[in-house]
Coordinates of all heavy atoms in Angstrom, one line a residue:
M480 N -11.4 -0.2 -26.8 CA -11.9 0.4 -28.1 C -13.3 -0.2 -28.4 O -13.4 -1.4 -28.6 CB -10.9 0.1 -29.2 CG -11.1 0.9 -30.5 SD -10.8 2.7 -30.3 CE -11.5 3.2 -31.9
P481 N -14.3 0.7 -28.5 CA -15.6 0.1 -28.8 C -15.7 -0.3 -30.3 O -15.0 0.2 -31.1 CB -16.6 1.3 -28.5 CG -15.7 2.5 -28.6 CD -14.3 2.1 -28.3
N482 N -16.6 -1.3 -30.5 CA -16.8 -1.7 -31.9 C -17.5 -0.6 -32.7 O -18.3 0.1 -32.2 CB -17.8 -2.9 -31.9 CG -17.2 -4.1 -31.2 OD1 -16.0 -4.2 -31.1 ND2 -18.0 -5.0 -30.7
P483 N -17.1 -0.4 -33.9 CA -17.8 0.5 -34.8 C -19.3 0.0 -35.0 O -19.4 -1.2 -35.2 CB -17.0 0.5 -36.1 CG -16.3 -0.7 -36.1 CD -16.1 -1.2 -34.7
C484 N -20.2 0.9 -35.0 CA -21.6 0.4 -35.1 C -22.4 1.5 -35.7 O -22.7 2.5 -35.1 CB -22.1 0.0 -33.7 SG -23.9 -0.2 -33.8
A485 N -22.9 1.2 -36.9 CA -23.8 2.2 -37.6 C -25.1 2.3 -37.0 O -25.8 3.4 -37.1 CB -23.9 1.8 -39.1
H486 N -25.6 1.3 -36.3 CA -26.9 1.3 -35.6 C -26.9 2.4 -34.5 O -27.8 3.2 -34.4 CB -27.3 0.0 -35.0 CG -27.2 -1.2 -36.0 ND1 -26.1 -2.0 -36.0 CD2 -28.0 -1.6 -36.9 CE1 -26.3 -2.9 -36.9 NE2 -27.4 -2.7 -37.5
L487 N -25.8 2.3 -33.7 CA -25.7 3.3 -32.6 C -25.5 4.7 -33.1 O -26.0 5.7 -32.6 CB -24.6 2.9 -31.6 CG -24.9 1.6 -30.8 CD1 -23.7 1.4 -29.8 CD2 -26.2 1.6 -30.1
D488 N -24.7 4.8 -34.2 CA -24.4 6.1 -34.8 C -25.7 6.7 -35.3 O -25.8 8.0 -35.4 CB -23.4 6.0 -35.9 CG -22.0 5.7 -35.4 OD1 -21.8 5.9 -34.2 OD2 -21.1 5.3 -36.3
A489 N -26.7 5.9 -35.7 CA -27.9 6.4 -36.4 C -28.9 6.9 -35.3 O -29.9 7.6 -35.7 CB -28.5 5.3 -37.2
I490 N -28.6 6.6 -34.0 CA -29.6 7.0 -33.0 C -29.4 8.5 -32.6 O -28.2 8.8 -32.2 CB -29.5 6.1 -31.8 CG1 -30.1 4.7 -32.3 CG2 -30.3 6.6 -30.6 CD1 -30.3 3.7 -31.2
T491 N -30.4 9.3 -32.7 CA -30.3 10.7 -32.3 C -31.1 10.9 -31.0 O -30.7 11.7 -30.1 CB -30.7 11.6 -33.4 OG1 -32.0 11.2 -33.8 CG2 -29.8 11.6 -34.5
D492 N -32.3 10.3 -30.9 CA -33.1 10.5 -29.7 C -33.3 9.1 -29.1 O -33.6 8.2 -29.8 CB -34.5 11.1 -30.1 CG -34.3 12.5 -30.5 OD1 -33.7 13.3 -29.8 OD2 -34.8 12.9 -31.6
I493 N -33.2 9.1 -27.8 CA -33.5 7.8 -27.1 C -34.9 7.7 -26.8 O -35.5 8.6 -26.2 CB -32.7 7.8 -25.8 CG1 -31.2 8.0 -26.0 CG2 -32.9 6.5 -25.0 CD1 -30.5 6.9 -26.8
K494 N -35.5 6.5 -27.2 CA -36.9 6.3 -26.8 C -37.0 5.8 -25.4 O -36.4 4.8 -25.0 CB -37.5 5.1 -27.7 CG -37.7 5.5 -29.1 CD -38.4 4.3 -29.8 CE -38.9 4.6 -31.2 NZ -37.8 4.8 -32.2
P495 N -37.7 6.6 -24.5 CA -37.8 6.1 -23.1 C -38.8 5.0 -23.0 O -39.6 4.7 -23.9 CB -38.4 7.4 -22.4 CG -39.1 8.1 -23.5 CD -38.4 7.8 -24.8
A496 N -38.8 4.3 -21.9 CA -39.8 3.2 -21.6 C -41.1 3.9 -21.5 O -41.3 4.9 -20.8 CB -39.4 2.5 -20.4
K497 N -42.1 3.2 -22.1 CA -43.5 3.7 -22.0 C -44.1 3.2 -20.7 O -45.0 3.9 -20.1 CB -44.4 3.2 -23.2 CG -44.0 3.9 -24.5 CD -44.8 3.2 -25.6 CE -44.2 3.6 -27.0 NZ -44.4 2.6 -28.0
A498 N -43.7 2.1 -20.3 CA -44.2 1.5 -19.0 C -43.0 0.8 -18.3 O -42.2 0.2 -19.0 CB -45.3 0.5 -19.3
Y499 N -42.9 1.0 -17.0 CA -41.8 0.4 -16.3 C -42.1 -1.1 -15.9 O -42.2 -1.4 -14.8 CB -41.5 1.3 -15.1 CG -40.1 0.9 -14.5 CD1 -38.9 1.2 -15.2 CD2 -40.0 0.3 -13.3 CE1 -37.7 0.9 -14.7 CE2 -38.8 0.0 -12.8 CZ -37.6 0.3 -13.5 OH -36.4 -0.1 -13.0
E500 N -42.2 -1.9 -17.0 CA -42.4 -3.3 -16.8 C -42.1 -4.0 -18.1 O -42.1 -3.4 -19.1 CB -43.9 -3.5 -16.5 CG -44.8 -3.0 -17.5 CD -46.3 -3.0 -17.1 OE1 -46.6 -3.0 -15.9 OE2 -47.2 -3.0 -18.0
C501 N -41.8 -5.3 -18.0 CA -41.5 -6.1 -19.2 C -42.9 -6.5 -19.8 O -43.7 -7.1 -19.2 CB -40.7 -7.4 -18.8 SG -40.6 -8.5 -20.2
A502 N -43.0 -6.1 -21.1 CA -44.3 -6.4 -21.8 C -44.7 -7.8 -21.9 O -45.8 -8.1 -22.0 CB -44.2 -5.8 -23.2
E503 N -43.7 -8.7 -21.8 CA -44.0 -10.2 -21.9 C -44.2 -10.8 -20.5 O -45.0 -11.6 -20.3 CB -42.9 -10.9 -22.6 CG -42.8 -10.6 -24.1 CD -44.1 -11.0 -24.8 OE1 -44.7 -12.0 -24.5 OE2 -44.6 -10.2 -25.7
C504 N -43.3 -10.3 -19.6 CA -43.4 -10.9 -18.2 C -44.7 -10.6 -17.5 O -45.3 -11.4 -16.8 CB -42.2 -10.4 -17.3 SG -40.7 -11.2 -17.7
V505 N -45.3 -9.4 -17.8 CA -46.5 -9.1 -17.2 C -47.7 -10.0 -17.6 O -48.6 -10.2 -16.9 CB -47.0 -7.6 -17.4 CG1 -46.0 -6.6 -16.7 CG2 -47.0 -7.2 -18.9
K506 N -47.5 -10.5 -18.8 CA -48.6 -11.4 -19.4 C -48.6 -12.8 -18.6 O -49.6 -13.4 -18.5 CB -48.4 -11.7 -20.9 CG -48.6 -10.5 -21.8 CD -48.3 -10.9 -23.2 CE -48.3 -9.7 -24.1 NZ -47.7 -10.0 -25.4
T507 N -47.4 -13.2 -18.2 CA -47.3 -14.5 -17.5 C -47.1 -14.4 -16.0 O -46.9 -15.4 -15.4 CB -46.1 -15.3 -18.2 OG1 -44.9 -14.5 -18.0 CG2 -46.4 -15.5 -19.6
G508 N -47.0 -13.2 -15.5 CA -46.7 -13.0 -14.1 C -45.3 -13.3 -13.7 O -45.0 -13.6 -12.5
S509 N -44.4 -13.3 -14.7 CA -43.0 -13.6 -14.4 C -42.3 -12.4 -13.7 O -42.8 -11.2 -13.8 CB -42.2 -14.0 -15.6 OG -42.9 -15.1 -16.2
R510 N -41.1 -12.6 -13.2 CA -40.3 -11.5 -12.6 C -39.2 -11.2 -13.5 O -38.8 -12.0 -14.4 CB -39.7 -12.0 -11.3 CG -40.8 -12.2 -10.2 CD -40.1 -12.9 -9.0 NE -41.1 -13.1 -8.0 CZ -41.1 -12.3 -6.9 NH1 -40.2 -11.4 -6.7 NH2 -42.0 -12.4 -5.9
W511 N -38.7 -9.9 -13.4 CA -37.6 -9.5 -14.2 C -36.6 -8.8 -13.2 O -36.9 -8.5 -12.1 CB -38.0 -8.6 -15.3 CG -38.7 -7.4 -14.8 CD1 -38.2 -6.2 -14.3 CD2 -40.1 -7.2 -14.7 NE1 -39.2 -5.3 -14.0 CE2 -40.4 -5.9 -14.2 CE3 -41.2 -8.0 -15.1 CZ2 -41.7 -5.4 -14.0 CZ3 -42.5 -7.5 -14.9 CH2 -42.7 -6.2 -14.4
V512 N -35.3 -8.6 -13.8 CA -34.3 -8.0 -13.0 C -34.1 -6.6 -13.4 O -34.3 -5.6 -12.6 CB -33.0 -8.8 -13.1 CG1 -31.9 -8.1 -12.3 CG2 -33.2 -10.2 -12.6
H513 N -33.8 -6.4 -14.7 CA -33.6 -5.0 -15.2 C -34.5 -4.9 -16.5 O -34.8 -5.9 -17.2 CB -32.2 -4.7 -15.6 CG -31.3 -4.7 -14.3 ND1 -30.2 -5.6 -14.2 CD2 -31.4 -4.0 -13.2 CE1 -29.7 -5.3 -13.0 NE2 -30.3 -4.4 -12.4
L514 N -34.7 -3.7 -16.9 CA -35.6 -3.4 -18.1 C -34.8 -2.7 -19.2 O -34.0 -1.8 -18.9 CB -36.8 -2.6 -17.7 CG -37.8 -3.3 -16.8 CD1 -38.8 -2.4 -16.2 CD2 -38.4 -4.5 -17.5
R515 N -35.0 -3.1 -20.4 CA -34.4 -2.5 -21.6 C -35.5 -2.1 -22.6 O -36.4 -2.9 -22.8 CB -33.5 -3.5 -22.3 CG -32.5 -4.3 -21.3 CD -31.5 -3.3 -20.7 NE -30.6 -4.0 -19.8 CZ -30.3 -3.5 -18.6 NH1 -30.9 -2.5 -18.1 NH2 -29.4 -4.2 -17.9
T516 N -35.3 -1.0 -23.3 CA -36.3 -0.6 -24.2 C -35.8 -0.6 -25.7 O -34.7 -0.1 -26.0 CB -36.7 0.9 -23.9 OG1 -37.3 0.9 -22.6 CG2 -37.8 1.4 -24.9
C517 N -36.5 -1.3 -26.5 CA -36.1 -1.4 -27.9 C -36.2 -0.1 -28.6 O -37.2 0.6 -28.5 CB -37.1 -2.4 -28.7 SG -36.8 -2.5 -30.4
Q518 N -35.1 0.3 -29.3 CA -35.0 1.6 -29.9 C -35.6 1.6 -31.3 O -35.7 2.7 -31.9 CB -33.6 2.1 -29.9 CG -33.1 2.4 -28.5 CD -33.9 3.4 -27.7 OE1 -33.9 4.5 -28.0 NE2 -34.6 2.9 -26.7
E519 N -36.1 0.5 -31.7 CA -36.8 0.4 -33.0 C -38.3 0.6 -32.9 O -38.9 1.4 -33.5 CB -36.5 -0.9 -33.7 CG -36.9 -1.0 -35.1 CD -35.8 -0.4 -36.1 OE1 -34.7 -0.4 -35.7 OE2 -36.2 0.0 -37.2
C520 N -38.9 -0.1 -32.0 CA -40.3 -0.1 -31.8 C -40.8 0.4 -30.4 O -42.0 0.6 -30.2 CB -40.9 -1.5 -32.0 SG -40.4 -2.7 -30.9
G521 N -39.8 0.6 -29.5 CA -40.2 1.3 -28.3 C -40.7 0.4 -27.2 O -41.1 0.8 -26.1
I522 N -40.7 -0.9 -27.4 CA -41.3 -1.9 -26.4 C -40.2 -2.1 -25.4 O -39.0 -2.1 -25.7 CB -41.7 -3.2 -27.1 CG1 -42.7 -3.9 -26.2 CG2 -40.6 -4.0 -27.6 CD1 -43.5 -5.0 -26.9
T523 N -40.6 -2.3 -24.1 CA -39.7 -2.6 -23.0 C -39.8 -4.0 -22.6 O -40.8 -4.6 -22.4 CB -40.1 -1.6 -21.9 OG1 -39.9 -0.3 -22.3 CG2 -39.2 -1.9 -20.7
H524 N -38.6 -4.6 -22.4 CA -38.4 -6.0 -22.1 C -37.4 -6.2 -21.0 O -36.6 -5.3 -20.7 CB -38.0 -6.9 -23.3 CG -39.1 -7.1 -24.3 ND1 -39.0 -6.8 -25.7 CD2 -40.4 -7.6 -24.1 CE1 -40.1 -7.2 -26.3 NE2 -41.0 -7.6 -25.4
C525 N -37.3 -7.5 -20.5 CA -36.4 -7.7 -19.4 C -35.0 -8.1 -20.0 O -34.8 -8.6 -21.1 CB -36.9 -8.8 -18.5 SG -37.4 -10.3 -19.3
C526 N -34.0 -7.9 -19.1 CA -32.6 -8.1 -19.5 C -32.1 -9.6 -19.4 O -32.9 -10.4 -19.1 CB -31.7 -7.3 -18.5 SG -31.7 -8.0 -16.9
D527 N -30.9 -9.8 -19.8 CA -30.3 -11.2 -19.7 C -30.1 -11.7 -18.3 O -29.8 -12.9 -18.2 CB -29.0 -11.2 -20.5 CG -29.3 -11.4 -22.0 OD1 -30.4 -11.4 -22.4 OD2 -28.3 -11.4 -22.8
N528 N -30.1 -10.9 -17.3 CA -30.1 -11.4 -16.0 C -31.5 -11.9 -15.5 O -31.6 -12.4 -14.4 CB -29.6 -10.3 -15.0 CG -28.1 -10.0 -15.3 OD1 -27.3 -10.8 -15.7 ND2 -27.7 -8.7 -15.1
S529 N -32.5 -11.6 -16.3 CA -33.8 -12.0 -15.9 C -34.1 -13.4 -16.4 O -33.5 -13.8 -17.4 CB -34.8 -11.0 -16.5 OG -34.5 -9.7 -16.2
P530 N -34.9 -14.2 -15.8 CA -35.1 -15.6 -16.2 C -35.6 -15.7 -17.6 O -35.3 -16.7 -18.3 CB -36.2 -16.1 -15.2 CG -36.5 -15.0 -14.3 CD -35.7 -13.8 -14.5
N531 N -36.4 -14.8 -18.1 CA -37.0 -15.0 -19.5 C -36.2 -14.2 -20.6 O -36.5 -14.5 -21.8 CB -38.4 -14.5 -19.4 CG -39.3 -15.4 -18.6 OD1 -39.4 -16.6 -18.8 ND2 -39.8 -14.9 -17.5
K532 N -35.3 -13.4 -20.3 CA -34.4 -12.7 -21.3 C -35.2 -12.2 -22.5 O -34.9 -12.5 -23.6 CB -33.3 -13.7 -21.8 CG -32.5 -14.2 -20.6 CD -31.3 -15.0 -21.2 CE -30.3 -15.3 -20.2 NZ -30.1 -16.6 -19.6
H533 N -36.3 -11.5 -22.2 CA -37.2 -11.1 -23.3 C -36.6 -10.1 -24.3 O -37.0 -10.1 -25.5 CB -38.5 -10.6 -22.8 CG -39.4 -11.7 -22.3 ND1 -40.0 -11.7 -21.0 CD2 -39.9 -12.8 -22.9 CE1 -40.7 -12.8 -20.9 NE2 -40.7 -13.5 -22.0
A534 N -35.7 -9.3 -23.8 CA -35.1 -8.3 -24.7 C -34.3 -9.0 -25.8 O -34.3 -8.7 -27.0 CB -34.2 -7.3 -24.0
T535 N -33.5 -10.0 -25.4 CA -32.7 -10.8 -26.4 C -33.6 -11.6 -27.3 O -33.4 -11.7 -28.5 CB -31.8 -11.8 -25.6 OG1 -30.8 -11.0 -24.9 CG2 -31.0 -12.7 -26.6
K536 N -34.7 -12.2 -26.7 CA -35.7 -12.9 -27.6 C -36.3 -12.0 -28.6 O -36.6 -12.3 -29.7 CB -36.8 -13.5 -26.7 CG -36.2 -14.8 -25.9 CD -37.3 -15.4 -25.1 CE -36.8 -16.5 -24.3 NZ -37.7 -16.9 -23.2
H537 N -36.6 -10.7 -28.1 CA -37.2 -9.8 -29.1 C -36.2 -9.5 -30.2 O -36.7 -9.4 -31.4 CB -37.6 -8.5 -28.3 CG -38.1 -7.4 -29.2 ND1 -39.4 -7.5 -29.8 CD2 -37.6 -6.2 -29.6 CE1 -39.6 -6.4 -30.5 NE2 -38.5 -5.6 -30.4
F538 N -35.0 -9.3 -29.9 CA -34.0 -9.1 -30.9 C -33.9 -10.2 -31.9 O -33.9 -10.1 -33.1 CB -32.6 -8.8 -30.4 CG -31.5 -9.0 -31.4 CD1 -31.4 -8.2 -32.5 CD2 -30.6 -10.0 -31.3 CE1 -30.4 -8.3 -33.4 CE2 -29.6 -10.2 -32.2 CZ -29.5 -9.4 -33.3
K539 N -33.9 -11.5 -31.4 CA -33.8 -12.6 -32.2 C -35.0 -12.8 -33.1 O -34.9 -13.2 -34.3 CB -33.6 -13.9 -31.4 CG -32.1 -13.9 -30.8 CD -31.8 -15.1 -30.1 CE -30.4 -15.1 -29.6 NZ -30.1 -16.0 -28.5
A540 N -36.2 -12.4 -32.6 CA -37.4 -12.5 -33.4 C -37.6 -11.4 -34.4 O -38.1 -11.6 -35.5 CB -38.6 -12.6 -32.4
S541 N -37.2 -10.2 -34.0 CA -37.5 -9.0 -34.8 C -36.4 -8.4 -35.5 O -36.5 -7.6 -36.5 CB -38.1 -7.9 -33.8 OG -37.0 -7.4 -33.0
H542 N -35.1 -8.7 -35.1 CA -33.9 -8.2 -35.6 C -33.8 -6.6 -35.4 O -33.2 -5.9 -36.1 CB -33.7 -8.5 -37.0 CG -33.5 -10.0 -37.2 ND1 -32.4 -10.7 -36.8 CD2 -34.4 -10.9 -37.7 CE1 -32.6 -12.0 -37.1 NE2 -33.8 -12.2 -37.6
H543 N -34.6 -6.1 -34.4 CA -34.4 -4.8 -34.0 C -33.1 -4.7 -33.2 O -32.9 -5.3 -32.1 CB -35.5 -4.3 -33.1 CG -36.9 -4.2 -33.8 ND1 -38.1 -4.2 -33.2 CD2 -37.1 -4.2 -35.1 CE1 -39.0 -4.1 -34.1 NE2 -38.5 -4.2 -35.3
P544 N -32.1 -3.9 -33.7 CA -30.7 -4.1 -33.2 C -30.4 -3.5 -31.8 O -29.6 -4.0 -31.1 CB -29.8 -3.5 -34.2 CG -30.7 -2.5 -34.9 CD -32.1 -3.1 -34.9
V545 N -31.0 -2.4 -31.5 CA -30.5 -1.5 -30.4 C -31.5 -1.5 -29.2 O -32.7 -1.2 -29.5 CB -30.2 -0.1 -30.9 CG1 -29.7 0.8 -29.7 CG2 -29.1 -0.2 -32.0
I546 N -31.0 -1.6 -28.0 CA -31.8 -1.4 -26.8 C -31.2 -0.3 -26.0 O -30.0 -0.1 -26.1 CB -31.9 -2.7 -26.0 CG1 -30.5 -3.3 -25.7 CG2 -32.9 -3.7 -26.6 CD1 -30.5 -4.3 -24.6
A547 N -32.0 0.4 -25.2 CA -31.5 1.3 -24.2 C -31.9 0.8 -22.9 O -33.0 0.2 -22.7 CB -32.1 2.7 -24.5
S548 N -31.0 1.0 -21.9 CA -31.4 0.7 -20.5 C -32.7 1.5 -20.1 O -32.7 2.7 -20.4 CB -30.3 1.0 -19.5 OG -30.8 0.7 -18.2
A549 N -33.6 0.9 -19.5 CA -34.8 1.6 -19.0 C -34.7 1.8 -17.5 O -35.6 2.3 -16.8 CB -36.1 0.8 -19.3
E550 N -33.5 1.5 -16.9 CA -33.3 1.7 -15.5 C -33.1 3.2 -15.1 O -32.3 3.8 -15.8 CB -32.1 0.8 -15.0 CG -32.4 -0.6 -15.2 CD -33.6 -1.1 -14.4 OE1 -33.7 -0.7 -13.2 OE2 -34.4 -1.9 -14.9
P551 N -33.7 3.7 -14.1 CA -33.4 5.0 -13.7 C -32.0 5.3 -13.4 O -31.3 4.5 -12.8 CB -34.3 5.2 -12.4 CG -35.2 4.1 -12.4 CD -34.6 3.0 -13.2
G552 N -31.4 6.4 -14.0 CA -30.0 6.7 -13.7 C -29.1 6.0 -14.7 O -27.9 6.4 -14.7
E553 N -29.5 5.1 -15.5 CA -28.6 4.4 -16.4 C -28.9 5.1 -17.8 O -30.0 5.2 -18.2 CB -28.9 2.9 -16.5 CG -28.5 2.2 -15.3 CD -28.6 0.7 -15.5 OE1 -28.9 0.2 -16.6 OE2 -28.3 0.0 -14.5
R554 N -27.8 5.5 -18.4 CA -27.9 6.2 -19.7 C -26.9 5.5 -20.7 O -25.8 6.0 -20.9 CB -27.5 7.7 -19.6 CG -28.6 8.4 -18.7 CD -28.1 9.8 -18.4 NE -28.0 10.6 -19.6 CZ -29.0 11.2 -20.2 NH1 -30.2 11.2 -19.7 NH2 -28.8 12.0 -21.3
W555 N -27.4 4.3 -21.2 CA -26.6 3.6 -22.2 C -27.4 2.9 -23.2 O -28.6 2.6 -22.9 CB -25.6 2.7 -21.6 CG -26.1 1.7 -20.6 CD1 -26.2 1.8 -19.3 CD2 -26.7 0.4 -20.9 NE1 -26.7 0.6 -18.7 CE2 -27.1 -0.2 -19.7 CE3 -27.0 -0.2 -22.1 CZ2 -27.7 -1.5 -19.7 CZ3 -27.6 -1.5 -22.1 CH2 -28.0 -2.1 -20.9
V556 N -26.8 2.7 -24.4 CA -27.5 1.9 -25.4 C -26.6 0.7 -25.8 O -25.4 0.8 -25.6 CB -27.8 2.8 -26.7 CG1 -29.0 3.7 -26.4 CG2 -26.6 3.6 -27.1
Y557 N -27.2 -0.3 -26.3 CA -26.4 -1.5 -26.7 C -27.0 -2.0 -28.0 O -28.2 -2.1 -28.3 CB -26.6 -2.6 -25.6 CG -25.9 -3.9 -26.0 CD1 -24.6 -4.0 -25.9 CD2 -26.7 -5.0 -26.4 CE1 -23.9 -5.2 -26.2 CE2 -26.1 -6.2 -26.7 CZ -24.7 -6.3 -26.6 OH -24.1 -7.5 -26.9
C558 N -26.0 -2.4 -28.9 CA -26.4 -3.0 -30.2 C -26.1 -4.5 -30.2 O -25.0 -4.9 -29.9 CB -25.6 -2.3 -31.3 SG -25.8 -3.1 -32.9
F559 N -27.1 -5.3 -30.4 CA -27.0 -6.8 -30.3 C -26.0 -7.3 -31.4 O -25.1 -8.0 -31.1 CB -28.3 -7.5 -30.4 CG -29.1 -7.5 -29.1 CD1 -30.2 -6.6 -29.0 CD2 -28.8 -8.3 -28.1 CE1 -31.0 -6.6 -27.8 CE2 -29.5 -8.3 -26.9 CZ -30.6 -7.5 -26.8
P560 N -26.3 -7.0 -32.7 CA -25.5 -7.6 -33.8 C -24.0 -7.2 -33.7 O -23.1 -8.0 -34.0 CB -26.1 -7.2 -35.1 CG -27.1 -6.1 -34.7 CD -27.4 -6.3 -33.3
D561 N -23.7 -6.0 -33.3 CA -22.3 -5.6 -33.2 C -21.7 -5.7 -31.8 O -20.5 -5.4 -31.6 CB -22.2 -4.1 -33.7 CG -22.6 -3.9 -35.1 OD1 -22.1 -4.7 -35.9 OD2 -23.4 -3.1 -35.4
E562 N -22.5 -6.1 -30.8 CA -22.1 -6.1 -29.4 C -21.4 -4.8 -29.0 O -20.4 -4.8 -28.4 CB -21.2 -7.3 -29.2 CG -21.9 -8.6 -29.4 CD -21.0 -9.9 -29.2 OE1 -19.9 -9.7 -28.7 OE2 -21.5 -11.0 -29.4
A563 N -22.0 -3.7 -29.5 CA -21.5 -2.4 -29.2 C -22.3 -1.7 -28.1 O -23.5 -1.8 -28.1 CB -21.5 -1.6 -30.5
F564 N -21.6 -1.0 -27.3 CA -22.2 -0.4 -26.1 C -21.8 1.1 -26.1 O -20.6 1.4 -26.4 CB -21.6 -1.1 -24.9 CG -22.0 -0.6 -23.6 CD1 -23.1 -1.0 -23.0 CD2 -21.2 0.4 -22.9 CE1 -23.5 -0.5 -21.7 CE2 -21.6 0.9 -21.7 CZ -22.7 0.4 -21.1
A565 N -22.7 2.0 -25.8 CA -22.3 3.4 -25.8 C -23.1 4.1 -24.7 O -24.3 3.8 -24.4 CB -22.6 4.1 -27.1
E566 N -22.5 5.0 -24.0 CA -23.2 5.8 -23.0 C -23.6 7.2 -23.7 O -23.0 7.5 -24.7 CB -22.3 6.1 -21.8 CG -22.1 4.8 -21.0 CD -21.3 5.1 -19.7 OE1 -21.9 5.4 -18.7 OE2 -20.1 4.9 -19.8
Y567 N -24.6 7.8 -23.1 CA -25.0 9.0 -23.7 C -25.3 10.1 -22.6 O -25.4 9.7 -21.5 CB -26.3 8.8 -24.6 CG -27.5 8.3 -23.9 CD1 -28.4 9.2 -23.4 CD2 -27.8 6.9 -23.8 CE1 -29.6 8.7 -22.7 CE2 -28.9 6.5 -23.2 CZ -29.8 7.4 -22.6 OH -30.9 6.9 -22.0
Ligands
ZN23 ZN1 -24.9 -2.1 -34.6
ZN24 ZN1 -39.6 -10.4 -19.6
ZN25 ZN1 -38.4 -3.8 -31.2

Protein backbone atom coordinates (compact mmCIF):
# COMPACT_ATOMS: atom_id res chain seq x y z
CA MET A 1 0.00 0.00 0.00
CA PRO A 2 1.67 3.24 -1.07
CA ASN A 3 1.92 6.16 1.31
CA PRO A 4 -0.64 8.91 0.71
CA CYS A 5 1.14 11.89 -0.73
CA ALA A 6 -0.34 15.23 -1.71
CA HIS A 7 2.87 16.16 -3.54
CA LEU A 8 2.57 13.31 -6.04
CA ASP A 9 -1.18 13.87 -6.33
CA ALA A 10 -0.51 17.49 -7.33
CA ILE A 11 1.74 16.52 -10.25
CA THR A 12 -0.01 16.56 -13.59
CA ASP A 13 2.88 16.96 -16.05
CA ILE A 14 6.28 15.39 -15.60
CA LYS A 15 9.20 17.75 -16.17
CA PRO A 16 11.71 15.94 -18.38
CA ALA A 17 15.46 16.29 -17.92
CA LYS A 18 16.81 19.32 -19.78
CA ALA A 19 20.25 17.76 -19.98
CA TYR A 20 21.24 14.15 -19.49
CA GLU A 21 23.84 14.90 -16.83
CA CYS A 22 24.04 15.78 -13.14
CA ALA A 23 24.17 19.58 -12.86
CA GLU A 24 26.58 19.36 -9.90
CA CYS A 25 28.77 16.42 -10.97
CA VAL A 26 29.62 18.08 -14.28
CA LYS A 27 31.10 21.03 -12.36
CA THR A 28 33.53 18.81 -10.47
CA GLY A 29 34.07 16.09 -13.06
CA SER A 30 32.42 13.48 -10.83
CA ARG A 31 30.63 10.39 -12.04
CA TRP A 32 27.04 9.42 -11.45
CA VAL A 33 25.01 6.22 -11.70
CA HIS A 34 21.44 7.33 -12.41
CA LEU A 35 19.78 10.69 -12.97
CA ARG A 36 16.71 12.22 -11.32
CA THR A 37 14.93 15.44 -12.25
CA CYS A 38 13.48 17.77 -9.61
CA GLN A 39 9.81 18.35 -10.37
CA GLU A 40 9.82 21.74 -8.68
CA CYS A 41 12.63 23.51 -10.53
CA GLY A 42 13.47 21.03 -13.28
CA ILE A 43 17.14 20.55 -12.41
CA THR A 44 18.65 17.10 -12.93
CA HIS A 45 20.89 15.47 -10.30
CA CYS A 46 22.42 12.09 -9.50
CA CYS A 47 20.73 9.34 -7.48
CA ASP A 48 21.57 7.80 -4.11
CA ASN A 49 23.63 5.07 -5.78
CA SER A 50 25.94 7.80 -7.05
CA PRO A 51 28.88 8.88 -4.87
CA ASN A 52 27.63 12.45 -4.48
CA LYS A 53 23.86 11.85 -4.06
CA HIS A 54 23.08 15.29 -5.42
CA ALA A 55 19.32 14.71 -5.79
CA THR A 56 19.00 14.04 -2.05
CA LYS A 57 21.28 16.98 -1.26
CA HIS A 58 19.10 19.19 -3.46
CA PHE A 59 16.01 18.08 -1.55
CA LYS A 60 17.66 18.75 1.82
CA ALA A 61 18.80 22.21 0.70
CA SER A 62 15.73 23.29 -1.25
CA HIS A 63 12.88 21.16 0.21
CA HIS A 64 11.66 20.49 -3.32
CA PRO A 65 9.84 17.24 -2.53
CA VAL A 66 9.44 15.30 -5.77
CA ILE A 67 11.90 13.85 -8.26
CA ALA A 68 11.24 11.88 -11.44
CA SER A 69 13.62 9.35 -12.89
CA ALA A 70 15.50 10.82 -15.84
CA GLU A 71 16.56 7.37 -17.04
CA PRO A 72 15.28 6.31 -20.47
CA GLY A 73 12.42 3.85 -20.12
CA GLU A 74 11.82 4.61 -16.44
CA ARG A 75 8.52 6.29 -15.67
CA TRP A 76 8.26 6.94 -11.95
CA VAL A 77 8.20 9.76 -9.45
CA TYR A 78 9.33 9.79 -5.83
CA CYS A 79 8.46 12.09 -2.93
CA PHE A 80 11.26 12.52 -0.37
CA PRO A 81 9.27 13.73 2.67
CA ASP A 82 6.58 11.05 2.32
CA GLU A 83 8.87 8.33 0.88
CA ALA A 84 6.10 7.80 -1.65
CA PHE A 85 6.71 6.25 -5.04
CA ALA A 86 4.42 6.21 -8.06
CA GLU A 87 4.66 5.03 -11.66
CA TYR A 88 3.00 6.94 -14.44
ZN1 LIG B 1 4.72 13.93 -0.66
ZN1 LIG C 1 25.77 14.57 -8.96
ZN1 LIG D 1 14.45 21.63 -7.27
